[in-house]
Amino acid sequence: MDSSSSREIVRRWLAALGCFAIVLFFFSPSWAAFSLWARVPEMSGMLEVRRGASVLTQVAHPGAEIADPLHQAIQWRLLFPLIGHVLGLSPLLFFSLADVGCVLVLAYVVTLLRRAKYGWWETILASVAIGASSWLFVSTGWLGYFDSWLALALLLVAFAVQPWPGWAACVWAPWVDERFVLAVPIALLCRWIRTSTGPTPGDFRWRRELGIPALLLGAFVFVRLGLLSGRSASHATLVGYFAGKDYLNASAGRLLLGVWEGLRAGWVFVVAAVFLLRKTPGRAAIVGTAVVVMIGAGLATAQDYSRSMTMVLPVAVTGLLLLARETVGIWRPRLLGVTAAGALLLPAHHVMQDWVNPIYYFYHELAAFSSPPPAAWPQLRELHAIDAMQQGDFATAEADLTLAMKLDPGDVSAAKRRGMLYASTRRWAEAKRDFTTVVQNDPKNPDGWFLRAQVELAMTEPAAAQADFNQASALAPAEWMTRPDVKRFLVLLQRESGQP
């Protein structure tokens, strides 16, 4: 390999990393949510980390039943859980595999565009437009989603120079996401278009190009829906997955938004693919029909509408490659510039059947560290606990107060309430622990010392109770000693201590 080739390869990787960084700045992962879950595992119900909790269960016990009903469909998506299990990867390294997939996809897109004689500036603009879409947003913004590797597999099937990378993808990609099987036909269609309409049209060998992928995917279907179906939870089987579900039961606006957010500005290149094939109307009609069918299949088979549009990604890249054959003028750089600007500046969302979740830029997500969402407010958890105590549900109250204390270890109010809850059920040691937290975090409050003194007296520790009572009386105003509860405690303390 000569030095110019080496420099080209290095620049391609740098371009991919640069595009990845640009997209992440404008559409940042939920860093605060990730950090919060790492610190407080009970917050696993957050959208950004919920699947991640189930996937970590797979890493620990591959093939185990998924308890979360929302994610039972991933039970046999075992490629990355097995990698994490065999290599003993930490959660940080394991989840970063999705980000590695994003860089690989962008590097492959950059490579395809450079081979098609795109200039560097055009390559970066086009790659940003391709990257600023759902496959990357989900892979970086929600833990446990490996859509970037699904995207990579489809692009390998569609554009690899030799067929064997696509064959290899047919072996591993279905174990990342079964939708790969559904999307392979449109990837192979893009491969046929690429082969038959290139500058030097090649021979699309039907038996090799279609037969081997069909055999490999047939083997997967046999194993997945045959051998493994009897070992699956009901939702992990094909019938169980669709039982009672009607994914198209949403407003037309929600469906259209889901389609748009799947590729966003990348849809410009999908339209370009169909338009630039107009000289061969039959092929244009086939590609256009395939796109429509794939859109309908994506919406009908998944709750997360925008993610499903990743199946159309090969057509968007095909459009870019067809654009490369057009006469270069000022129109193509301008088109790519407008498309990239739109991809970065237009608001983005994760679109699901029952929810639309906005995606924010980097500084907004940094601010979330100091302004967490309501679900992470310890005060709200404490209010829930108060309501539970009023209903006599002490177990729920204890859980909410415990969570409030984990969310804010210095939350004196929650520690005080949980200590009183423990004391009311004579769990003296636990009550003392919480009142110790109170006096450590608010040492000038006499009530904390007094509460701990009462617990110590109940635990027949009169010397400690006396010391804490003295500390409380030293901090309290003069009238504090006239309170009825203080007077009663002093009598009990004197009696326990043998004082007259």
Side-chain angles (χ1 to χ4, degrees):
M1 181 181 295
D2 58 32
S3 60
S4 61
S5 298
S6 299
R7 285 196 297 271
E8 173 71 16
I9 292 173
V10 170
R11 289 172 181 172
R12 289 176 186 178
W13 282 105
L14 291 176
L17 288 169
C19 292
F20 185 57
I22 291 170
V23 175
L24 284 192
F25 178 84
F26 282 88
F27 307 102
S28 175
S30 303
W31 304 111
F34 300 164
S35 175
L36 179 61
W37 179 49
R39 182 169 58 87
V40 186
E42 290 87 346
M43 296 301 296
S44 61
M46 294 185 294
L47 179 65
E48 297 85 353
V49 304
R50 184 170 176 177
R51 175 168 289 190
S54 294
V55 174
L56 287 185
T57 299
Q58 290 181 302
V59 173
H61 306 286
E65 298 284 351
I66 301 298
D68 187 343
L70 186 63
H71 295 300
Q72 286 179 336
I74 70 170
Q75 182 174 345
W76 299 115
R77 297 178 186 177
L78 290 177
L79 178 64
F80 287 103
L82 282 172
I83 292 173
H85 180 80
V86 171
L87 298 181
L89 298 180
S90 67
L92 177 62
L93 289 176
F94 174 74
F95 289 127
S96 68
L97 293 175
D99 300 83
V100 171
C102 292
V103 175
L104 290 175
V105 171
L106 290 171
Y108 192 50
V109 170
V110 168
T111 298
L112 291 173
L113 297 179
R114 290 292 292 163
R115 288 175 181 171
K117 308 303 181 183
Y118 271 86
W120 279 111
W121 183 238
E122 289 183 316
T123 296
I124 291 171
L125 292 174
S127 299
V128 165
I130 288 293
S133 53
S134 180
W135 67 268
L136 189 145
F137 298 156
V138 172
S139 299
T140 58
W142 291 354
L143 297 182
Y145 289 78
F146 296 94
D147 290 43
S148 57
W149 291 88
L150 171 63
L152 179 63
L154 291 173
L155 294 182
L156 289 174
V157 171
F159 304 112
V161 176
Q162 299 296 325
W164 66 263
W167 299 343
C170 291
V171 174
W172 59 262
W175 301 101
V176 176
D177 193 323
E178 298 89 344
R179 282 183 288 193
F180 175 79
V181 178
L182 190 64
V184 160
I186 202 168
L188 289 171
L189 174 62
C190 291
R191 186 173 187 83
W192 172 61
I193 295 294
R194 173 72 170 152
T195 303
S196 60
T197 63
T200 55
D203 180 17
F204 188 83
R205 300 179 183 177
W206 294 92
R207 183 177 300 177
R208 183 185 69 174
E209 302 286 0
L210 301 183
I212 294 178
L215 287 174
L216 294 172
L217 295 177
F220 165 77
V221 171
F222 172 74
V223 173
R224 174 66 178 81
L225 299 182
L227 299 180
L228 295 179
S229 61
R231 304 180 185 181
S232 303
S234 60
H235 287 77
T237 65
L238 188 63
V239 175
Y241 179 73
F242 288 105
K245 297 180 175 68
D246 180 9
Y247 291 122
L248 293 176
N249 183 22
S251 66
R254 177 69 55 82
L255 293 170
L256 290 174
L257 181 63
V259 172
W260 162 253
E261 293 290 358
L263 294 181
R264 304 178 72 247
W267 286 111
V268 171
F269 307 133
V270 174
V271 173
V274 178
F275 176 76
L276 293 175
L277 288 171
R278 66 190 184 281
K279 294 179 181 179
T280 53
R283 289 172 180 169
I286 291 172
V287 172
T289 302
V291 169
V292 173
V293 170
M294 196 56 61
I295 289 173
L299 295 175
T301 56
Q303 183 185 27
D304 37 13
Y305 294 152
S306 53
R307 283 184 62 218
S308 298
M309 297 304 107
T310 299
M311 296 189 292
V312 188
L313 181 63
V315 182
V317 177
T318 296
L320 279 169
L321 297 179
L322 292 174
L323 277 172
R325 302 172 191 169
E326 297 298 304
T327 302
V328 178
I330 61 172
W331 67 270
R332 193 175 75 187
R334 288 181 177 178
L335 172 66
L336 295 175
V338 170
T339 305
L344 295 178
L345 298 178
L346 291 174
H349 308 81
H350 299 291
V351 182
M352 293 152 280
Q353 182 187 29
D354 55 352
W355 188 257
V356 175
N357 199 54
I359 306 169
Y360 298 106
Y361 78 120
F362 180 66
Y363 287 120
H364 181 280
E365 293 300 336
L366 283 185
F369 280 98
S370 57
S371 301
W377 292 353
Q379 302 91 337
L380 186 59
R381 296 294 175 177
E382 190 174 347
L383 289 174
H384 290 166
I386 293 172
D387 181 67
M389 283 190 286
Q390 291 174 344
Q391 302 296 326
D393 187 355
F394 294 144
T396 298
E398 178 185 352
D400 279 327
L401 290 170
T402 299
L403 182 54
M405 293 175 66
K406 286 187 175 182
L407 291 170
D408 182 4
D411 188 353
V412 170
S413 177
K416 179 179 176 180
R417 289 188 187 279
R418 195 176 71 169
M420 295 173 68
L421 177 64
Y422 287 149
S424 68
T425 55
R426 299 182 178 273
R427 297 162 64 179
W428 304 118
E430 292 158 296
K432 182 178 178 179
R433 179 194 63 203
D434 283 349
F435 293 143
T436 298
T437 299
V438 173
V439 300
Q440 288 174 343
N441 287 283
D442 191 10
K444 294 185 178 181
N445 188 339
D447 285 337
W449 296 98
F450 181 49
L451 287 168
R452 192 170 74 169
Q454 294 178 78
V455 169
E456 289 166 337
L457 187 61
M459 298 174 70
T460 63
E461 299 175 1
Q466 183 68 64
D468 281 349
F469 180 78
N470 292 341
Q471 183 68 25
S473 61
L475 293 169
E479 62 272 16
W480 184 78
M481 292 293 293
T482 65
R483 281 172 35 179
D485 59 331
V486 174
K487 289 182 176 181
R488 287 194 299 270
F489 174 78
L490 188 57
V491 170
L492 292 173
L493 180 60
Q494 291 172 344
R495 182 185 306 165
E496 188 70 24
S497 303
Q499 302 177 16

